[in-house]
Amino acid sequence: MAQPTPTASPAMPDRFAEEQATYAVRGADAPDLAGGVAAIRNVLATLPARPGVYRMQDARGDVLYVGKARALKSRVTNYTQVDRLPKRLQRMVALTRSMTIVTTNNEAEALLLEAQLIKRYRPAYNVLLRDDKSFPFILLRADHDFPRIQKHRGARRAKGNYYGPFAGAGAVNTTLNALQKLFLLRSCTDGFMKRRDRPCLLYQIKRCSAPCVGRISTDDYAELVADAKAFLGGKSTQVQAKLGAQMEAAAAAMDFELAAILRDRLRALTFIQGSQAINADGVGDADVFAMANRNGVIGVQAFFIRGGQNWGHRSFFPAHTNDVPEEEVLTAFLGQFYEEVPPPRTVLLDRELPDGALLGEALGARAGHRVAFSVPQRGVRRKLLDQAKRNAEEALDRRLAESTTQARLLRELAELFDLPEPPDRIEIYDNSHIQGTNALGAMVVAGPEGFRKGQYRKFNIKNSATEPGDDFAMMREVLTRRFTRAQADDPDRAAGDWPDLVLIDGGRGHLNVARAVLDALEIEDVCLVGIAKGPHHGRDGREVFHLMDGREFQLPVNAPVLFYLQRLRDEAHRFAIGAHRAKRARAIGASPLDDVPGIGPARKKALLMHFGTARAVRGASLEDLQKAPGISAAVAQQLHDFFNPR
């Protein structure tokens, strides 16, 4: 039976028709329900009845949705029965023009692959974990006679014991500081340790045992490491009893200096035990997740418990959750969350998951141990879950209050700058340099949800014609590169990467440069605003706003929208200055030898040891270069030709 087109269907929802009109305005392919169903049916003819993952793509090839199935043919067939689909999936089917299929050995593999692809493509119709930055761990290294304890992010390649995840840098730093006081383990790098000929400040303040200068033996340090492992493994009571016995023995032997050191370590341990805001005695290693829902906006609260200790908590607010069942949201969230974080053996939830057994099987296969999901009903675990639930509701209420304030500010911004609607994407530009050196431009992005730090960009000034310190020329180069690239990558503006409002840190001159760039590129519908310091250089908070039509105005010093604009401008300042400082630091440590092809760290070190300076290498004759240790005749010729081009 042929499916009716969206325009011919009397039951087509108004919101769908509005979306179709939006696509027509943008010049993109309009949703076509019949066309989407036809594209899916073309794929059905070749689909096997086995587990796998499918990706739905639009006419541009962008991924709309990633799904998994126990039997691909049966699952994908459901998308052709549009009358049974919710409106969200009807819109997705209407945009579908192609599919990509990947088969797997079983459904558990499909579940893991689905989470991986969702994190990679971030499809518009999948539930997305927005706050997916890496979590910090504590690493106790095992590649040295005196192991180092340190904070670690990213891939776990170094040999040693990893403890985590911690909810954030604050939680891991607090724990590290306490561990240094308690176990006196070194935190310095191996290179720093080798160069020491006397103890550093950490030894003086009793946060290191100074193995660098032999103040502690290898065996005694190994005992401290063993105590630290026991503590991080949840055996804090055992460590406490051991320290207490050692303190009493030292006092009985009248070694009061040692007794005082052990007393201070016991105090550090007591402080850690007393600072646990969450009672998790007897829980062991577990993650706790509770969900709150307010009119389709969902918040998830996570507690991280390791060894019965609270290692912090964090709130998450998944995207694309409208009209999605709560259990499906939580399942998708957990799959993406544990894509990067190793799961514990126990995960406590506030609800049963239909695919909980399958998810536990998939995560356990990857982690190498059993992962069990449970919904506790009584005892310490139930109290812990209730606390997480209460935190989830409070965090969601704060999030909604902040969103309401942000929405009001964006509406005021639209009225202030005569925008047709509140801006969804704001870009702020600033330059940074010192007398023209290490010059770069910076772009900061903000939207209804706040700053989008993953979309910040920095632009190294490359145009040789730009005079050092010429802010206008720098701004011209930055904006030309930004919008030329935007026109090439997204001419239809369908990807959401075009700004609704551009703020330039500067006055009328900077604004005129920006307008000239957009005029040259024939871009007429992007609002430009210049923010300049007022007559008192901004000390009174009275920035002057320059508009494209020549108007200038100031806002009342207590206006909330002024504070918001200042915050946007200050964030651009911060990012630009930070990027400039990093570039300058790299330039200070750079060497002319870094640019020579084939000269790696070992040869560079050999050349500097032989000649003394890079300048001496540059001025050396071919015969002298050939005499340097480790430098062959071919490499010497290459070096000579590089510094003496013909």
Side-chain angles (χ1 to χ4, degrees):
M1 178 178 177
Q3 297 295 330
T5 62
T7 54
S9 174
M12 188 61 61
D14 292 339
R15 215 164 61 178
F16 189 96
E18 290 173 3
E19 184 174 298
Q20 186 180 26
T22 301
Y23 272 80
V25 168
R26 290 180 176 177
D29 291 332
D32 176 7
L33 196 55
V37 171
I40 295 172
R41 283 180 174 159
N42 287 338
V43 177
L44 274 175
T46 59
L47 273 185
R50 57 180 297 179
V53 173
Y54 56 92
R55 301 200 300 267
M56 293 183 164
Q57 291 133 187
D58 62 13
R60 296 166 52 90
D62 295 333
V63 178
L64 298 168
Y65 183 79
V66 176
K68 59 91 182 168
R70 181 184 304 170
L72 283 167
K73 194 176 188 69
S74 300
R75 183 70 183 90
V76 175
T77 299
N78 294 336
Y79 292 105
T80 64
Q81 302 169 359
V82 292
D83 294 339
R84 300 180 181 179
L85 297 177
K87 295 180 178 64
R88 178 179 65 93
L89 295 184
Q90 287 183 7
R91 293 194 294 272
M92 180 190 72
V93 169
L95 292 170
T96 301
R97 291 297 175 269
S98 63
M99 294 184 66
T100 300
I101 306 297
V102 179
T103 59
T104 59
N105 293 320
N106 51 57
E107 193 178 4
E109 286 185 10
L111 184 63
L112 295 177
L113 180 59
E114 177 193 36
Q116 180 182 345
L117 293 176
I118 289 173
K119 287 180 72 69
R120 180 191 303 175
Y121 293 110
R122 307 191 68 79
Y125 288 88
N126 279 102
V127 174
L128 298 181
L129 171 57
R130 278 192 290 209
D131 186 6
D132 58 350
K133 60 186 178 183
S134 63
F135 288 82
F137 286 73
I138 285 179
L139 168 59
L140 186 55
R141 298 183 69 110
D143 54 0
H144 197 280
D145 290 339
F146 297 100
R148 173 191 181 194
I149 192 167
Q150 65 184 88
K151 180 170 64 176
H152 177 84
R153 284 186 189 267
R156 291 179 287 277
R157 298 191 183 96
K159 184 179 179 182
N161 299 93
Y162 293 86
Y163 301 95
F166 287 81
V172 75
N173 288 337
T174 300
T175 304
L176 270 177
N177 289 338
L179 288 173
Q180 286 177 314
K181 295 176 183 177
L182 181 55
F183 300 110
L184 309 179
L185 300 181
R186 73 177 181 95
S187 58
C188 58
T189 64
D190 294 348
F192 183 84
M193 180 180 177
K194 287 179 182 178
R195 295 193 298 269
R196 299 300 302 179
D197 55 11
R198 58 194 179 105
C200 68
L201 181 62
L202 288 178
Y203 175 78
Q204 307 297 335
I205 62 175
K206 300 179 181 179
R207 285 177 54 180
C208 181
S209 53
C212 53
V213 292
R215 297 295 174 92
I216 186 171
S217 68
T218 305
D219 291 340
D220 289 343
Y221 193 89
E223 185 177 354
L224 293 178
V225 171
D227 289 344
K229 289 180 179 179
F231 175 81
L232 290 168
K235 300 177 181 178
S236 59
T237 304
Q238 174 183 322
V239 175
Q240 186 175 24
K242 179 180 178 180
L243 288 175
Q246 290 176 343
M247 183 181 70
E248 290 178 2
M254 295 189 178
D255 189 348
F256 298 116
E257 184 176 355
L258 176 59
I261 293 174
L262 292 168
R263 179 203 61 201
D264 293 341
R265 291 175 62 192
L266 267 174
R267 285 178 178 174
L269 176 58
T270 305
F271 171 79
I272 296 174
Q273 293 172 329
S275 63
Q276 301 292 325
I278 295 173
N279 177 24
D281 290 340
V283 176
D285 293 350
D287 287 342
V288 185
F289 295 96
M291 178 184 289
N293 189 344
R294 298 279 191 276
N295 300 320
V297 180
I298 288 180
V300 178
Q301 184 73 28
F303 287 170
F304 306 112
I305 310 298
R306 296 295 183 272
Q309 302 173 39
N310 170 30
W311 282 3
H313 56 89
R314 185 184 291 184
S315 301
F316 301 87
F317 303 95
H320 308 164
T321 58
N322 278 338
D323 303 324
V324 182
E326 292 184 2
E327 291 76 12
E328 184 178 333
V329 171
L330 188 55
T331 301
F333 168 85
L334 291 172
Q336 295 172 56
F337 179 83
Y338 287 119
E339 177 66 23
E340 299 293 340
V341 177
R345 295 181 181 274
T346 302
V347 179
L348 306 181
L349 305 176
D350 66 342
R351 67 199 67 214
E352 296 284 352
L353 298 181
D355 290 336
L358 176 64
L359 184 59
E361 176 189 347
L363 295 177
R366 186 168 59 192
H369 58 73
R370 183 173 178 270
V371 176
F373 293 93
S374 66
V375 182
Q377 302 299 322
R378 61 185 66 85
V380 173
R381 298 189 176 198
R382 183 65 210 184
K383 292 179 180 178
L384 194 59
L385 195 60
D386 291 341
Q387 190 172 0
K389 181 74 173 178
R390 184 171 63 254
N391 276 264
E393 292 170 349
E394 293 171 355
L396 184 56
D397 289 341
R398 289 193 298 270
R399 174 82 169 195
L400 292 174
E402 292 170 0
S403 298
T404 302
T405 303
Q406 185 81 352
R408 184 172 65 251
L409 288 171
L410 293 177
R411 287 196 300 270
E412 292 182 18
L413 212 58
E415 295 175 4
L416 186 65
F417 298 132
D418 296 326
L419 301 175
E421 57 186 15
D424 182 66
R425 180 184 174 96
I426 305 171
E427 294 182 359
I428 311 97
Y429 292 87
D430 190 16
N431 296 327
S432 185
H433 61 90
I434 295 180
Q435 295 181 342
T437 62
N438 302 309
L440 57 77
M443 178 186 82
V444 165
V445 182
E449 71 283 0
F451 290 111
R452 301 173 182 173
K453 296 192 175 183
Q455 299 178 27
Y456 288 14
R457 294 292 180 268
K458 52 188 176 184
F459 301 82
N460 289 315
I461 302 303
K462 301 176 180 178
N463 192 340
S464 58
T466 300
E467 294 290 335
D470 188 344
D471 270 0
F472 292 162
M474 291 171 59
M475 187 64 69
R476 182 182 300 110
E477 178 179 343
V478 168
L479 293 174
T480 300
R481 286 164 56 186
R482 159 68 178 118
F483 285 98
T484 300
R485 179 71 177 270
Q487 285 182 323
D489 291 349
D490 188 19
D492 298 329
R493 307 190 185 187
D497 293 336
W498 277 79
D500 303 304
L501 173 64
V502 171
L503 301 178
I504 306 295
D505 183 24
R508 175 61 57 187
H510 290 84
L511 184 64
N512 289 338
V513 168
R515 183 171 185 175
V517 170
L518 297 192
D519 288 345
L521 297 173
E522 298 182 354
I523 299 172
E524 301 177 351
D525 56 348
V526 173
C527 179
L528 294 170
V529 176
I531 305 179
K533 294 181 174 64
H536 300 289
H537 300 284
R539 289 193 296 271
D540 58 355
R542 298 296 299 275
E543 280 79 1
V544 178
F545 296 91
H546 300 268
L547 305 185
M548 290 188 296
D549 59 7
R551 286 182 295 153
E552 299 177 4
F553 64 86
Q554 292 179 301
L555 292 169
V557 292
N558 59 349
V561 71
L562 173 63
F563 299 150
Y564 178 61
L565 288 166
Q566 288 172 334
R567 187 153 57 95
L568 295 178
R569 189 267 321 277
D570 292 345
E571 175 67 2
H573 266 313
R574 182 200 65 78
F575 181 63
I577 291 172
H580 166 73
R581 286 174 177 167
K583 184 177 180 180
R584 191 173 75 237
R586 289 193 299 270
I588 291 172
S591 166
L593 299 178
D594 296 335
D595 299 327
V596 183
I599 300 298
R603 283 175 173 164
K604 176 182 171 183
K605 182 178 180 181
L607 287 166
L608 292 175
M609 291 294 291
H610 183 75
F611 289 99
T613 65
R615 177 178 296 179
V617 177
R618 184 191 297 126
S621 65
L622 179 60
E623 292 75 13
D624 290 338
L625 290 171
Q626 291 173 344
K627 294 176 183 177
I631 304 299
S632 65
V635 174
Q637 186 67 55
Q638 187 176 2
L639 267 168
H640 188 267
D641 292 345
F642 182 85
F643 290 121
N644 302 277
R646 296 173 183 173

